[in-house]
């Protein structure tokens, strides 16, 4: 069975060496001293390694089952969920007013990676609840917040998001679910929703569904969509649970992975719902949830890559096969371990440099969310909005690729379910699809975010890279060669791509959109390149100042050099593709494919 | 349920427009006139679309089950196998002497793609039999051939290959299975083999296992390995079946995919075996099977990409979602089909240009096998030996990526087993692993094949590209720009990589091996680039000469242009990685990962 070990040391490095969170002026960051975050991460690491990880393979094997309208989660999930709730983990970054601990998102994200890495399917029950609670927090009335949030923060009640219908996913304007206004101000919701993660299960007393629907006689298309709170069980005035609402599970889907999470077809049949936010402004309210969810999904991509990498590394060290081409290394053994082989190392270094770079990227993104929410920093808000599709799309595409690489190291054993490596790829696969398929992320980035606020945020990003280069170049020849030059080249590629879009996208938007996927990927590489350049700098400075832990910082530098030399240059290929325009992409009539 | 339609028109184009098989002097090629190959492909297409394809999803769902030592294949497999045998498909390219039809490998490969594309797990039963029969054909005595081949050619008996043991896969020198010589010249085989595809099942009266084992007191390591014929049921002098041999299935593996094929743990307990080929020369005999199998596995990669692409294309045409950015295209509908969106087209073009290029590459490879076997062409033999790891490694890596892209077009529906798109990725995944994991293919290419016969074959390859460019450049400006220039650039990259290995690999072989995976991929791209340049030329010539089917040839040209502009330039990135050397790859001590 695969192991999961919390990468707490790397997280501490990112939080304190790189981001220096406890020195930040963002409200709440003062508390994040190294001892404190270490204690939190160690505690979360223990719970996730010991309680959640062992349920990952068994949850995959057993899956969820539906019997007479009740969904049963896999054996052990209920007890584990109780432990997660007891530990107060579900409300870590939620307001104290509703029972949370009010920790910054940066710590919530680090802890979230541990949960997701140890058991992604399980963690989705609390993840969806967090997203639904955030939407109520942002758009609910005081009465609604008081009514729903305390039980959601504690996960006594869980939450869901209901967008997709059989005939519409991305294009929500085609939605058919109806909301009929009632005399008491509530609505009757009728329709079918599909792909509802955690839609029904046996781990909570109530489920709070957030449902997009069209109010009768409202505007057509996306402008007529509103968001509703639709509980599974009605809640009485005194907060006690009442009768069942008309929200029932139709079936559960058989999926490629995340078998431990119940993906439901939900039927709403005159179910009572309460408007959340303004009439016909459902998309705006839903986007609070979506943006948070997109960052969380990017983190899932990283988390599965990390978990798969840990096990691939163990296998590469344990499995004896062949001899090192430069001379026998394991003299007493019948063969050398796999890790002596250059192509195995190449794969392991790709994985290692990805997960460590991605972790820095995500936690850096979380500091921007904190700056936006806690310090009303509009620039941070704009930048993280620009980077959200990159975090979601790039990190899940690459995260999936990394799980495939990790699986490959096992040879035939990687294909056998017994070893658990197939599950990482099957679970990671969904992250490229849900919360907006990655093609939609690329479209959001190129079609919307680039030009947002007059292109201000992308300019700020380029300025940030330029300033970093200016501040750190010319001090150390080796650092310049290994980090500054590759970052400069990649950033130049990204700017050239942006320029190509500006010059050609006006006359024909296809010239921009045909390159959207490439642009998202090159943007992701530049972000990871910036992270590695920053981590390289900090490591190099620490070594120069003297440290007891030189091996750790030297390893960081070596891992960064690998990324800069081998992975970051992908930007040039993406640029070539983008600059080839859309003619070859759009040449064929649909009938001639 | 997914559809499968035989791509016979494209195959006819490759066979007759591109390869001009019926004009070839290779013995047997004269028969391959367009009407004949068309009739064969149409017939095979009918069988595969109507009989095998419908069993693909059901076979995946049901899987194989083991009960009291008997393996039951999924419902319908037995009847379908009977139809395949009745049609004489199993012996298409086998000698007439043993009941085959003696068709060239190029036709066998084309038909093989149809079988594999419609149902990969099912087709493996006959595929393994073909490989085992080829090994007996090449290394067996006349008596052995007469005894085993007729029933294997007809698939009354099926075959297997037994290499892997729990502790050794690639490194077969570690093997523990023993062969004890008996007074009558036979051997008693004892040991355990794992991952034995088609190891036990209910579709044939007998199973002929080819088993690698070490003869007692033979040389240590790989030099002491011999190959044995070990039947499931003993065969009497008169050819009738006798008693059960000591070859039994221990268990069947639960796998990520190819559920319809029984992957067995095989236990040999004093089983009677007959030496095939020479004592201690088992690897040589096994390689006959392996090389054939590697080409077949490359074809599996293509076949799954083709099947997945067909369905992704249907979905992109059917599913209405969003509007074209350049203006509404489906005025009567509530939305435009997915195929209007540039990023969806980008993905479809990647798939289309890959499958058509890969098909040309494989069939071109098959003509070299025919030239080697039928016309004793040593150059062709050397070239296909060089290209075998490229066909296996590149086409299965890319084939898998393409199934992931196809699945992605379905959005959430791609993740649900109901639609069948997950199966294509799960099935295609194994092709990157078995018959030598792709890292081993890359090692074979760079560590062995490049230098084979003094580097003669790789020089011949470069000469071939150079000659093609010389013969076809400078006649048509558009063709030069779209095809010749990209091919020239990619080929130059490949040569530069080879040069880097020569200059640096001697002093430190890690400098070559750290780039082996990149080299395999760039070599694959150059091969597909060459195929596209040739197909582009032939299409352009046909259009110039006038044709009734101009749309077909224009589509070919457009698809080729896409490949040359967007995919082939990947060689530059691979070259950058290779030229970065092995320092960043090998920097870390194993303990510091």
């Amino acid at each position: 069975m695969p192991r999961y070990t919390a990468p707490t040391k790397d997280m501490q490095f990112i939080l304190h060496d790189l981001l220096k969170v406890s020195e930040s002026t963002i409200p709440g960051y003062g508390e994040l001293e190294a001892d404190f975050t270490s204690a939190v991460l160690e505690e979360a690491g223990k719970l996730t390694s010991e309680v959640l990880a062992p349920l990952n393979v068994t949850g995959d094997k057993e899956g969820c089952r539906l019997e007479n309208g009740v969904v049963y989660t896999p054996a052990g999930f209920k007890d584990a969920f109780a432990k997660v709730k007891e530990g107060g983990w579900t409300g870590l970054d939620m307001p104290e007013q509703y029972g949370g601990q009010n920790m910054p998102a940066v710590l919530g994200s680090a802890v979230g990676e541990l949960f997701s890495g140890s058991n992604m399917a399980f963690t989705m029950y609390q993840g969806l609840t967090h997203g639904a609670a955030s939407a109520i927090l942002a758009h609910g009335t005081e009465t609604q917040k008081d009514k729903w949030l305390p039980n959601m923060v504690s996960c006594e009640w869980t939450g869901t998001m209901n967008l997709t219908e059989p005939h519409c996913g991305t294009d929500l304007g085609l939605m058919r679910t109806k909301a009929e206004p009632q005399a008491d101000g509530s609505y009757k919701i009728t329709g079918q929703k599909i792909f509802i993660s955690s839609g029904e299960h046996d781990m909570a007393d109530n489920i709070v569904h957030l449902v997009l629907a069209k109010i009768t006689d409202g505007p057509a298309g996306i402008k007529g969509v509103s968001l509703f709170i639709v509980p599974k069980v009605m809640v009485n005035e005194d907060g006690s649970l009442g009768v069942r609402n008309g929200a029932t599970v139709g079936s559960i889907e058989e999926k490629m992975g995340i078998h431990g999470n119940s993906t439901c077809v939900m039927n709403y049949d005159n179910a009572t719902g309460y408007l959340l936010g303004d009439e016909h402004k459902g998309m705006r309210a839903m986007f609070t949830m979506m943006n948070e969810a997109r960052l969380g999904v990017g983190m899932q991509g990283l988390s599965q890559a990390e978990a798969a990498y840990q096990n691939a590394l163990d296998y590469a060290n344990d499995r004896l096969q062949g001899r090192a081409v430069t001379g026998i290394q394991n003299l007493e053994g019948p063969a050398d371990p796999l890790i002596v082989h250059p192509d195995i190392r190449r794969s392991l270094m790709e994985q290692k440099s990805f997960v460590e770079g991605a972790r820095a990227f995500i936690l850096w993104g979380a500091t921007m969310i904190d700056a936006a929410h806690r310090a009303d920093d509009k620039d941070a808000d704009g930048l993280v909005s620009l980077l959200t599709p990159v975090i979601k799309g790039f990190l899940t595409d690459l995260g999936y690729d990394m799980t495939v690489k990790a699986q490959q190291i096992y040879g035939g054993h990687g294909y056998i379910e017994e070893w658990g490596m197939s599950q990482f790829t099957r679970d990671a696969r969904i992250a490229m699809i849900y919360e907006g398929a990655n093609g939609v992320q690329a479209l959001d980035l190129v079609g919307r975010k680039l030009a947002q606020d007059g292109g201000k945020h992308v300019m700020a990003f380029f300025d940030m890279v330029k300033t970093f280069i200016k501040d750190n170049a010319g001090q150390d020849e080796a650092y310049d060669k290994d980090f500054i030059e590759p970052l400069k080249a990649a950033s130049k590629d990204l700017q050239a791509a942006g320029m190509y879009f500006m010059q050609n996208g006006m006359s024909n938007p296809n010239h921009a959109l045909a390159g959207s996927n490439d642009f998202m990927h090159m943007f992701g590489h530049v972000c990871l390149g910036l992270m590695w350049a920053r981590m390289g700098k900090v490591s190099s400075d620490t070594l120069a100042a003297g440290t007891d832990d030189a091996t750790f910082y030297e390893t960081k530098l070596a891992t960064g050099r690998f990324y800069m030399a081998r992975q970051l240059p992908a930007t040039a290929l993406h640029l070539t593709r983008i600059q080839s325009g859309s003619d070859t992409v759009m040449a064929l009539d649909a009938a001639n494919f």
Side-chain angles (χ1 to χ4, degrees), chain A residues 8 25 99 107 141 230 263-264 279 347 382 384 449 462 481 498 510 523 532 553 572 577:
Chain A
T8 46
T25 57
L107 187 60
T141 61
V230 184
T263 305
C264 299
E279 253 189 10
S347 170
V384 77
K449 297 290 176 67
F462 285 127
K481 186 181 136 293
N510 287 339
F523 210 147
W532 273 117
Y553 293 98
R577 288 186 182 144

Side-chain angles (χ1 to χ4, degrees), chain A residues 116-416:
Chain A
S116 192
S118 64
N119 196 325
M120 177 169 153
F122 175 90
T123 300
M124 288 170 65
Y125 292 98
Q126 67 202 80
L128 271 296
T129 309
H130 193 284
S134 296
I136 293 174
L137 201 57
H139 302 282
T141 61
E142 288 310 313
T143 316
Q144 285 176 329
K145 291 187 208 177
D146 290 340
K147 181 171 180 179
W148 304 108
L149 288 181
N151 280 312
M152 292 178 77
V153 166
S154 66
C155 270
E156 289 306 313
W157 301 348
T158 63
T160 71
M161 338 178 20
N162 291 242
L163 290 80
T164 308
E165 299 184 4
H167 61 286
C168 72
T170 301
D171 191 351
L172 290 168
L174 304 174
M175 184 174 298
R176 290 179 193 148
T177 298
K178 288 276 165 230
E180 189 96 31
Q182 305 297 303
D184 65 355
S186 71
Y187 292 78
K188 289 291 182 194
I189 313 290
T190 301
Q192 188 177 67
K193 295 288 182 176
I194 64 170
F195 304 156
I196 308 309
S197 298
S198 319
E200 177 60 49
H201 60 86
D202 58 354
M203 302 201 296
D205 297 331
N206 201 2
I207 300 176
V208 182
H209 302 289
L210 296 196
V211 182
L212 284 180
K214 284 182 170 171
I215 298 172
T216 329
D217 303 326
I222 199 72
K223 286 176 186 151
V225 169
S226 307
L227 186 60
F228 299 89
I229 299 172
V230 184
K232 169 183 169 183
V233 183
M234 300 299 291
V235 177
N236 298 321
E237 285 292 317
D238 64 357
S240 64
L241 292 178
V243 296
R244 268 297 291 262
N245 196 6
T248 54
V249 53
S251 60
I252 53 179
E253 304 282 5
E254 229 180 283
K255 310 183 296 290
M256 184 176 179
I258 51 166
H259 294 156
N261 195 272
S262 57
T263 305
C264 299
V265 173
M266 292 300 301
N267 294 319
Y268 296 93
D269 184 12
N270 268 314
T272 299
Y274 310 101
L275 186 68
L276 178 62
D278 296 333
E279 253 189 10
H280 312 318
K281 304 284 185 203
M283 289 310 291
R284 189 196 295 170
M286 194 48 111
F287 261 104
T288 302
M289 221 166 139
M290 291 278 280
N291 278 331
E292 176 182 318
R294 285 174 177 181
L295 297 170
V297 172
M299 192 254 281
Q300 287 180 333
L302 153 65
S303 77
Q304 297 308 293
E306 165 71 33
Y309 165 65
Q310 290 184 9
N311 290 282
L313 177 60
D314 287 354
Y315 195 80
N317 274 309
D318 292 346
R319 175 86 169 172
L320 304 181
Q321 209 77 180
R323 291 295 187 182
V325 68
T326 47
I328 293 177
Q329 297 207 5
N330 175 24
L331 279 167
E332 299 82 38
D336 288 339
L338 286 180
I339 200 166
V340 305
H341 302 302
D343 190 58
I344 295 285
R345 264 175 194 267
R346 189 246 337 138
S347 170
L348 289 172
M349 289 301 292
E350 285 176 1
Q351 295 170 57
K352 182 176 171 64
S353 65
F354 170 75
V355 294
E356 295 179 10
R359 181 172 296 125
F361 186 22
I362 282 183
L363 294 181
W364 176 49
T367 63
M368 289 186 253
I369 288 175
D370 284 325
H373 290 181
R374 292 172 172 252
D376 202 27
D377 181 337
K378 295 267 180 290
D379 293 340
D381 194 45
L383 187 54
V384 77
S385 159
L386 169 73
L387 295 178
T388 295
V390 180
I391 289 174
K392 198 282 184 182
F394 178 70
L395 296 188
T396 61
D397 276 358
L398 274 276
Y400 177 74
D401 285 351
M402 296 302 151
T403 63
V404 173
K405 286 177 204 291
Q407 183 187 22
Q408 187 72 14
I409 286 183
Y410 279 68
H413 297 278
Y415 199 64
I416 304 298

